[in-house]
Amino acid sequence: MSKESIVEKIISEAEIRANSFIEEQTARADGILAAAAEECKSYIYTFQSETDRMIDDLEARGKTVADLEVRKLQLASKAKVLDGVFARALEKLKSLDKRVMRNLLTGMLREAEDGDVVTLGRRQEGVLTSDDVSAFAEEKGITLSLSSEFGDFDGMIISGKGVDKNLTFDVEIALLREKIETQIAKEIFG
C-alpha cells in the first residue's frame, strides 16, 4: 500500500468515526432536548395550573371583598334610615302639644321618690307647674318639688338622694332605640 492509500484509509476511518460520533452526539442531544421539552411542558402545566388556581383565588377574594363592601354599604344605609326614624320620633316628641306633653311629663313623675326635685327642660317651662307636681306628690304620698331652674334639654331630670333619673327625651329615645331597633329593622327591611 502506498502512502497515499494509507492516508486515505486513515482519513476515511476518521470520517467514519467522526460521523458516528456526530450521530451519537446528535442522538444524545436530541434525547436531552426531548427530555428538556417534556420538563418544560411539565413546568408549563404545573405553572398554568398554579396560575389558574391563583386567578381563581383572586377572583374569589375580589368577590368576597365586594360582597363585604356591599353589605357594609347596605348596613350603613339601614343605619341611616333608622337614625332618621328615631330623629323624627324625637322631633315629634319635642313638638307635642301642651296637653299631651303635660300628660307625658306627669307620667314620667312616676319615677320620682320621696324628697326628689324635678327639673324641666327650657321648652317644657309652664307645661308642668309647682301645683301639678305638688298634686302628683300628694296623690303618691311623697314630697316633691319643682326646681325654679330649667335645663338645656327636653324632658326632665329627677334629682334625689345621690341619684339622678335622666328622663330627657334624648335619653328616652336612645333607650327605646336599644330595645326596639332590631324589631323595627326587621319590619322596615324584612
Side-chain angles (χ1 to χ4, degrees):
M1 273 205 194
S2 72
K3 254 188 179 179
E4 285 182 11
S5 65
I6 293 176
V7 170
E8 255 182 59
K9 187 175 179 183
I10 292 173
I11 290 176
S12 171
E13 285 177 14
E15 282 179 355
I16 292 172
R17 272 197 215 154
N19 287 337
S20 174
F21 181 76
I22 289 172
E23 285 175 16
E24 281 177 26
Q25 294 307 314
T26 300
R28 189 171 170 202
D30 288 345
I32 291 172
L33 287 175
E38 285 302 312
E39 199 172 318
C40 283
K41 284 180 190 175
S42 173
Y43 281 129
I44 288 171
Y45 292 134
T46 300
F47 287 123
Q48 184 63 46
S49 172
E50 182 76 17
T51 301
D52 290 346
R53 188 187 58 75
M54 291 170 107
I55 288 170
D56 291 344
D57 285 351
L58 285 173
E59 285 176 351
R61 282 189 209 135
K63 186 176 180 336
T64 300
V65 168
D67 287 346
L68 288 173
E69 194 62 32
V70 165
R71 284 190 199 136
K72 192 166 79 173
L73 290 171
Q74 286 174 333
L75 284 174
S77 296
K78 289 176 181 179
K80 193 172 185 177
V81 168
L82 288 173
D83 289 345
V85 166
F86 285 101
R88 275 184 258 135
L90 181 60
E91 286 308 310
K92 282 188 174 191
L93 187 59
K94 289 177 181 180
S95 65
L96 291 174
D97 69 35
K98 190 172 182 175
R99 182 184 58 77
V100 176
M101 180 68 73
R102 184 176 184 277
N103 289 338
L104 176 65
L105 293 174
T106 302
M108 288 178 162
L109 287 176
R110 289 189 195 114
E111 299 294 320
E113 296 175 9
D114 192 36
D116 285 349
V117 176
V118 176
T119 305
L120 296 175
R122 288 197 195 291
R123 289 198 273 188
Q124 286 72 51
E125 182 178 355
V127 175
L128 273 186
T129 63
S130 291
D131 291 340
D132 295 326
V133 172
S134 295
F136 179 84
E138 188 176 312
E139 195 177 294
K140 194 171 177 184
I142 60 174
T143 58
L144 284 177
S145 61
L146 182 62
S147 173
S148 60
E149 308 268 326
F150 295 94
D152 291 327
F153 51 81
D154 287 291
M156 72 171 60
I157 293 179
I158 301 174
S159 303
K161 302 168 187 147
V163 178
D164 291 347
K165 295 174 185 101
N166 187 340
L167 302 174
T168 60
F169 296 162
D170 288 328
V171 169
E172 292 298 308
I173 289 291
L175 291 172
L176 180 65
R177 183 174 184 162
E178 282 180 25
K179 285 183 181 178
I180 66 171
E181 182 174 29
T182 303
Q183 177 186 351
I184 288 178
K186 283 180 184 174
E187 288 178 22
I188 292 175
F189 307 115

